[in-house]
Amino acid sequence: MSLTDSPPLTLPRATRDIERAFEDLARFGYAILEGALSRERVASLRARVVEQARGENAQGIGFHDGKANQRIWMLPNKGRIFRDLMLDPLADVFMGRLLDKDFLLSSLTANIARPGGVPMYLHTDQRYVDFWTPKPLVANIAWMLDDFTEANGGTRLVPGSHLNPDRIDYALGDTIAAEGPAGAALIFDGRMVHGTGSNTTESEERHAVLSYYCRPFVRQQENYLLGFDPALRTTERGAVLRRLGFWIWAGLGRTHEPGEKGALEPVIAPIGPMDSEGRPIDI
């Protein structure tokens, strides 16, 4: 199947109209919301991403996707600026509509597309589900920290693929590049086929932070129960902990009886085997 087999589409452009963005999401599987971040937030986030990327490279732990692109994982551990971003009101507006309330952060990562980077393979963010779903189970916000262009590796998208129940092997020629100004948010349905583009510029780097969210019954991509900094666990806001999954939801995640509610805490003294008189036994 190719996009050339279908009538030409008037594809979404960057907009400041939230309702228009929802219309684009429903029809095409993605929307570009301009002005999602102020210039000051863009500058601060970009500086923190650049600094962290250089620091991880200096320590020999930088993760490189292909020969040029770099990714930074587990951003909730790497600065309050990232924890604030995962609670941005726009996440509530869009993820609340796409995934219903009580959605979780599945992962928070950064993607730096550098010159010479090869295109990422085309995929959907819920590719681990082996059947099509009439509603998305996951969804994503790519916060643009630079202008996104086709030349610098703007995310490749297959418009409308989120509505196709058949698993199709799309080709790069079926895609378009998401383009928008720094500070815009690329919001996309987890069923839509996409992938990082190829940066063909001589010296331009393209930075983004990816807030990947899921419904509260879906297993998260990053395991915050094990990986979130224990020091932050004791000091962070309840809203952060809830979004990271440190909360019982509809009986899921509990450590005791089904009616257990509230925040999760490590089990210090688990109930072990006992005899009929209630005395501990070793079996």
Side-chain angles (χ1 to χ4, degrees), residues 271-283:
I271 298 172
M274 59 184 70
D275 65 16
S276 60
E277 301 296 325
R279 295 179 294 248
I281 56 177
D282 184 15
I283 58 172

Side-chain angles (χ1 to χ4, degrees), residues 26-95:
R27 184 179 181 191
F28 300 102
Y30 73 98
I32 301 171
L33 188 71
E34 193 171 349
L37 297 173
S38 68
R39 290 182 181 179
E40 293 75 18
R41 286 186 80 192
V42 168
S44 297
L45 282 161
R46 192 182 191 281
R48 179 81 277 276
V49 167
V50 169
E51 181 180 44
Q52 186 70 30
R54 290 175 178 170
E56 293 188 7
N57 284 339
Q59 288 291 324
I61 58 174
F63 182 94
H64 294 271
D65 188 5
K67 66 178 183 178
N69 295 348
Q70 184 172 355
R71 293 183 182 266
I72 308 171
W73 311 113
M74 213 72 177
L75 290 184
N77 284 340
K78 297 174 181 177
R80 171 152 179 152
I81 194 170
F82 298 126
R83 298 190 294 278
D84 289 344
L85 184 63
M86 62 182 258
L87 295 180
D88 191 279
L90 283 177
D92 287 305
V93 170
F94 284 94
M95 298 302 113

Side-chain angles (χ1 to χ4, degrees), residues 225 238 241-249 252-253 261-264:
L225 297 183
L241 299 178
R242 183 185 289 267
R243 188 147 292 171
L244 292 177
F246 287 90
W247 212 264
I248 298 166
W249 181 83
L252 300 180
K261 301 181 185 300
L264 295 171

